[in-house]
Amino acid sequence: MTSEKRSRKSRPPVCVMREEERPTCAGTEQAVLVGADGEERRLCPAHGAALWLTDPTFRFSAKTRPAGIADVMRHAFGEPR
């Protein structure tokens, strides 16, 4: 038996659209988008922006913090000048 202690810290959730072969992901999940069917998708800001811009049926969930929405908008429209 080992007396190894396991970390109680949970890992941050990973973006559901992350591809291991081509990691174009901007990191961990920060936005929750809900489709017309009610399905939630937890996404990084880059994938959230891409999905939100290409499919108008997706909307932000109340689970998404304002900072997460701001990050998605920054990815969608760029930094303010």
Side-chain angles (χ1 to χ4, degrees), residues 6 46 59 68:
R6 294 182 186 214
R59 65 190 187 284

Side-chain angles (χ1 to χ4, degrees), residues 7-77:
S7 174
R8 293 185 186 239
K9 290 184 181 179
S10 62
R11 293 182 189 168
V14 177
C15 176
V16 296
M17 294 181 78
R18 182 176 178 83
E19 297 174 356
E20 294 301 323
E21 293 82 33
R22 293 182 292 144
T24 58
C25 208
T28 60
E29 158 280 295
Q30 292 181 3
V32 181
L33 292 173
V34 181
D37 59 356
E39 182 183 349
E40 290 184 351
R41 292 190 181 203
R42 297 176 177 276
L43 304 164
C44 69
H47 283 124
L51 186 62
W52 184 75
L53 286 170
T54 58
D55 190 344
T57 62
F58 279 93
R59 65 190 187 284
F60 288 99
S61 167
K63 296 176 184 177
T64 305
R65 293 181 164 184
I69 294 172
D71 286 343
V72 171
M73 293 299 138
R74 213 172 290 119
H75 272 73
F77 302 113

